[in-house]
PDB file of all heavy atoms in Angstrom:
ATOM      1  N   PHE A 272      -6.103   2.790   3.074  1.00 71.00           N
ATOM      2  CA  PHE A 272      -6.642   1.494   2.666  1.00 71.00           C
ATOM      3  C   PHE A 272      -8.055   1.290   3.203  1.00 71.00           C
ATOM      4  O   PHE A 272      -8.900   0.690   2.538  1.00 71.00           O
ATOM      5  CB  PHE A 272      -5.736   0.372   3.151  1.00 71.00           C
ATOM      6  CG  PHE A 272      -6.152  -0.983   2.658  1.00 71.00           C
ATOM      7  CD1 PHE A 272      -5.844  -1.389   1.372  1.00 71.00           C
ATOM      8  CD2 PHE A 272      -6.872  -1.842   3.471  1.00 71.00           C
ATOM      9  CE1 PHE A 272      -6.236  -2.633   0.903  1.00 71.00           C
ATOM     10  CE2 PHE A 272      -7.271  -3.085   3.020  1.00 71.00           C
ATOM     11  CZ  PHE A 272      -6.946  -3.484   1.731  1.00 71.00           C
ATOM     12  N   THR A 273      -8.345   1.799   4.402  1.00 74.00           N
ATOM     13  CA  THR A 273      -9.672   1.640   4.997  1.00 74.00           C
ATOM     14  C   THR A 273     -10.739   2.304   4.146  1.00 74.00           C
ATOM     15  O   THR A 273     -11.806   1.735   3.889  1.00 74.00           O
ATOM     16  CB  THR A 273      -9.688   2.227   6.420  1.00 74.00           C
ATOM     17  OG1 THR A 273      -8.732   1.528   7.224  1.00 74.00           O
ATOM     18  CG2 THR A 273     -11.073   2.090   7.036  1.00 74.00           C
ATOM     19  N   PHE A 274     -10.466   3.512   3.675  1.00 71.00           N
ATOM     20  CA  PHE A 274     -11.462   4.250   2.895  1.00 71.00           C
ATOM     21  C   PHE A 274     -11.597   3.719   1.462  1.00 71.00           C
ATOM     22  O   PHE A 274     -12.621   3.925   0.822  1.00 71.00           O
ATOM     23  CB  PHE A 274     -11.106   5.742   2.860  1.00 71.00           C
ATOM     24  CG  PHE A 274     -11.334   6.445   4.161  1.00 71.00           C
ATOM     25  CD1 PHE A 274     -10.265   6.922   4.911  1.00 71.00           C
ATOM     26  CD2 PHE A 274     -12.605   6.612   4.668  1.00 71.00           C
ATOM     27  CE1 PHE A 274     -10.455   7.562   6.120  1.00 71.00           C
ATOM     28  CE2 PHE A 274     -12.830   7.257   5.884  1.00 71.00           C
ATOM     29  CZ  PHE A 274     -11.749   7.727   6.613  1.00 71.00           C
ATOM     30  N   ALA A 275     -10.579   3.045   0.966  1.00 65.00           N
ATOM     31  CA  ALA A 275     -10.608   2.610  -0.439  1.00 65.00           C
ATOM     32  C   ALA A 275     -10.643   1.097  -0.604  1.00 65.00           C
ATOM     33  O   ALA A 275     -10.503   0.614  -1.720  1.00 65.00           O
ATOM     34  CB  ALA A 275      -9.379   3.174  -1.167  1.00 65.00           C
ATOM     35  N   GLN A 276     -10.873   0.344   0.486  1.00 64.00           N
ATOM     36  CA  GLN A 276     -10.749  -1.102   0.406  1.00 64.00           C
ATOM     37  C   GLN A 276     -11.792  -1.734  -0.522  1.00 64.00           C
ATOM     38  O   GLN A 276     -11.487  -2.682  -1.249  1.00 64.00           O
ATOM     39  CB  GLN A 276     -10.851  -1.716   1.799  1.00 64.00           C
ATOM     40  CG  GLN A 276     -12.150  -1.432   2.521  1.00 64.00           C
ATOM     41  CD  GLN A 276     -12.229  -2.141   3.861  1.00 64.00           C
ATOM     42  OE1 GLN A 276     -11.673  -3.210   4.024  1.00 64.00           O
ATOM     43  NE2 GLN A 276     -12.905  -1.537   4.820  1.00 64.00           N
ATOM     44  N   LYS A 277     -13.014  -1.204  -0.517  1.00 64.00           N
ATOM     45  CA  LYS A 277     -14.061  -1.795  -1.349  1.00 64.00           C
ATOM     46  C   LYS A 277     -13.712  -1.696  -2.830  1.00 64.00           C
ATOM     47  O   LYS A 277     -13.760  -2.684  -3.572  1.00 64.00           O
ATOM     48  CB  LYS A 277     -15.402  -1.111  -1.071  1.00 64.00           C
ATOM     49  CG  LYS A 277     -16.570  -1.733  -1.827  1.00 64.00           C
ATOM     50  CD  LYS A 277     -17.884  -1.066  -1.449  1.00 64.00           C
ATOM     51  CE  LYS A 277     -19.049  -1.693  -2.200  1.00 64.00           C
ATOM     52  NZ  LYS A 277     -20.339  -1.045  -1.840  1.00 64.00           N
ATOM     53  N   LEU A 278     -13.346  -0.495  -3.275  1.00 61.00           N
ATOM     54  CA  LEU A 278     -12.962  -0.308  -4.668  1.00 61.00           C
ATOM     55  C   LEU A 278     -11.655  -1.028  -4.979  1.00 61.00           C
ATOM     56  O   LEU A 278     -11.452  -1.506  -6.097  1.00 61.00           O
ATOM     57  CB  LEU A 278     -12.822   1.182  -4.980  1.00 61.00           C
ATOM     58  CG  LEU A 278     -14.118   2.009  -4.948  1.00 61.00           C
ATOM     59  CD1 LEU A 278     -13.810   3.481  -5.151  1.00 61.00           C
ATOM     60  CD2 LEU A 278     -15.104   1.514  -5.998  1.00 61.00           C
ATOM     61  N   PHE A 279     -10.784  -1.129  -3.975  1.00 57.00           N
ATOM     62  CA  PHE A 279      -9.495  -1.811  -4.177  1.00 57.00           C
ATOM     63  C   PHE A 279      -9.716  -3.277  -4.530  1.00 57.00           C
ATOM     64  O   PHE A 279      -9.190  -3.781  -5.525  1.00 57.00           O
ATOM     65  CB  PHE A 279      -8.636  -1.685  -2.923  1.00 57.00           C
ATOM     66  CG  PHE A 279      -7.371  -2.485  -2.972  1.00 57.00           C
ATOM     67  CD1 PHE A 279      -6.261  -2.002  -3.649  1.00 57.00           C
ATOM     68  CD2 PHE A 279      -7.288  -3.717  -2.351  1.00 57.00           C
ATOM     69  CE1 PHE A 279      -5.088  -2.732  -3.695  1.00 57.00           C
ATOM     70  CE2 PHE A 279      -6.121  -4.451  -2.393  1.00 57.00           C
ATOM     71  CZ  PHE A 279      -5.022  -3.963  -3.064  1.00 57.00           C
ATOM     72  N   PHE A 280     -10.494  -3.989  -3.731  1.00 58.00           N
ATOM     73  CA  PHE A 280     -10.703  -5.411  -3.981  1.00 58.00           C
ATOM     74  C   PHE A 280     -11.535  -5.643  -5.242  1.00 58.00           C
ATOM     75  O   PHE A 280     -11.320  -6.618  -5.955  1.00 58.00           O
ATOM     76  CB  PHE A 280     -11.387  -6.057  -2.776  1.00 58.00           C
ATOM     77  CG  PHE A 280     -10.475  -6.247  -1.602  1.00 58.00           C
ATOM     78  CD1 PHE A 280     -10.681  -5.545  -0.426  1.00 58.00           C
ATOM     79  CD2 PHE A 280      -9.393  -7.104  -1.672  1.00 58.00           C
ATOM     80  CE1 PHE A 280      -9.835  -5.709   0.656  1.00 58.00           C
ATOM     81  CE2 PHE A 280      -8.536  -7.277  -0.596  1.00 58.00           C
ATOM     82  CZ  PHE A 280      -8.764  -6.575   0.564  1.00 58.00           C
ATOM     83  N   LYS A 281     -12.453  -4.733  -5.532  1.00 59.00           N
ATOM     84  CA  LYS A 281     -13.237  -4.868  -6.753  1.00 59.00           C
ATOM     85  C   LYS A 281     -12.368  -4.700  -7.983  1.00 59.00           C
ATOM     86  O   LYS A 281     -12.430  -5.493  -8.941  1.00 59.00           O
ATOM     87  CB  LYS A 281     -14.371  -3.838  -6.762  1.00 59.00           C
ATOM     88  CG  LYS A 281     -15.323  -3.990  -7.951  1.00 59.00           C
ATOM     89  CD  LYS A 281     -16.468  -2.999  -7.851  1.00 59.00           C
ATOM     90  CE  LYS A 281     -17.419  -3.164  -9.025  1.00 59.00           C
ATOM     91  NZ  LYS A 281     -18.538  -2.187  -8.960  1.00 59.00           N
ATOM     92  N   GLY A 282     -11.518  -3.694  -7.978  1.00 53.00           N
ATOM     93  CA  GLY A 282     -10.614  -3.483  -9.105  1.00 53.00           C
ATOM     94  C   GLY A 282      -9.588  -4.570  -9.218  1.00 53.00           C
ATOM     95  O   GLY A 282      -9.221  -5.000 -10.330  1.00 53.00           O
ATOM     96  N   LEU A 283      -9.101  -5.074  -8.077  1.00 53.00           N
ATOM     97  CA  LEU A 283      -8.122  -6.162  -8.117  1.00 53.00           C
ATOM     98  C   LEU A 283      -8.724  -7.424  -8.694  1.00 53.00           C
ATOM     99  O   LEU A 283      -8.098  -8.138  -9.490  1.00 53.00           O
ATOM    100  CB  LEU A 283      -7.595  -6.418  -6.713  1.00 53.00           C
ATOM    101  CG  LEU A 283      -6.400  -7.370  -6.582  1.00 53.00           C
ATOM    102  CD1 LEU A 283      -5.209  -6.814  -7.338  1.00 53.00           C
ATOM    103  CD2 LEU A 283      -6.068  -7.588  -5.119  1.00 53.00           C
ATOM    104  N   ALA A 284      -9.983  -7.719  -8.326  1.00 55.00           N
ATOM    105  CA  ALA A 284     -10.650  -8.896  -8.873  1.00 55.00           C
ATOM    106  C   ALA A 284     -10.865  -8.772 -10.379  1.00 55.00           C
ATOM    107  O   ALA A 284     -10.684  -9.728 -11.128  1.00 55.00           O
ATOM    108  CB  ALA A 284     -11.996  -9.109  -8.160  1.00 55.00           C
ATOM    109  N   GLU A 285     -11.230  -7.576 -10.820  1.00 52.00           N
ATOM    110  CA  GLU A 285     -11.416  -7.380 -12.259  1.00 52.00           C
ATOM    111  C   GLU A 285     -10.115  -7.583 -13.005  1.00 52.00           C
ATOM    112  O   GLU A 285     -10.076  -8.235 -14.064  1.00 52.00           O
ATOM    113  CB  GLU A 285     -11.946  -5.966 -12.513  1.00 52.00           C
ATOM    114  CG  GLU A 285     -13.398  -5.764 -12.057  1.00 52.00           C
ATOM    115  CD  GLU A 285     -13.856  -4.345 -12.319  1.00 52.00           C
ATOM    116  OE1 GLU A 285     -13.047  -3.539 -12.797  1.00 52.00           O
ATOM    117  OE2 GLU A 285     -15.037  -4.049 -12.038  1.00 52.00           O
ATOM    118  N   GLY A 286      -9.015  -7.051 -12.470  1.00 48.00           N
ATOM    119  CA  GLY A 286      -7.730  -7.196 -13.137  1.00 48.00           C
ATOM    120  C   GLY A 286      -7.279  -8.649 -13.192  1.00 48.00           C
ATOM    121  O   GLY A 286      -6.757  -9.108 -14.207  1.00 48.00           O
ATOM    122  N   VAL A 287      -7.499  -9.387 -12.108  1.00 44.00           N
ATOM    123  CA  VAL A 287      -7.075 -10.789 -12.081  1.00 44.00           C
ATOM    124  C   VAL A 287      -7.895 -11.630 -13.053  1.00 44.00           C
ATOM    125  O   VAL A 287      -7.367 -12.436 -13.820  1.00 44.00           O
ATOM    126  CB  VAL A 287      -7.195 -11.331 -10.640  1.00 44.00           C
ATOM    127  CG1 VAL A 287      -7.005 -12.849 -10.643  1.00 44.00           C
ATOM    128  CG2 VAL A 287      -6.159 -10.683  -9.744  1.00 44.00           C
ATOM    129  N   VAL A 288      -9.221 -11.423 -13.035  1.00 44.00           N
ATOM    130  CA  VAL A 288     -10.085 -12.230 -13.909  1.00 44.00           C
ATOM    131  C   VAL A 288      -9.807 -11.952 -15.373  1.00 44.00           C
ATOM    132  O   VAL A 288      -9.648 -12.855 -16.185  1.00 44.00           O
ATOM    133  CB  VAL A 288     -11.562 -11.954 -13.575  1.00 44.00           C
ATOM    134  CG1 VAL A 288     -12.464 -12.644 -14.587  1.00 44.00           C
ATOM    135  CG2 VAL A 288     -11.897 -12.466 -12.180  1.00 44.00           C
ATOM    136  N   LYS A 289      -9.701 -10.682 -15.714  1.00 47.00           N
ATOM    137  CA  LYS A 289      -9.510 -10.341 -17.124  1.00 47.00           C
ATOM    138  C   LYS A 289      -8.101 -10.640 -17.587  1.00 47.00           C
ATOM    139  O   LYS A 289      -7.860 -11.034 -18.719  1.00 47.00           O
ATOM    140  CB  LYS A 289      -9.824  -8.843 -17.343  1.00 47.00           C
ATOM    141  CG  LYS A 289      -9.900  -8.452 -18.809  1.00 47.00           C
ATOM    142  CD  LYS A 289     -11.049  -9.139 -19.519  1.00 47.00           C
ATOM    143  CE  LYS A 289     -11.150  -8.722 -20.982  1.00 47.00           C
ATOM    144  NZ  LYS A 289     -12.242  -9.374 -21.660  1.00 47.00           N
TER     145      LYS A 289
END
Side-chain angles (χ1 to χ4, degrees):
F272 186 79
T273 299
F274 288 112
Q276 60 176 329
K277 184 177 180 180
L278 293 175
F279 173 81
F280 286 114
K281 185 176 181 181
L283 189 61
E285 289 179 358
V287 170
V288 173
K289 190 64 179 180

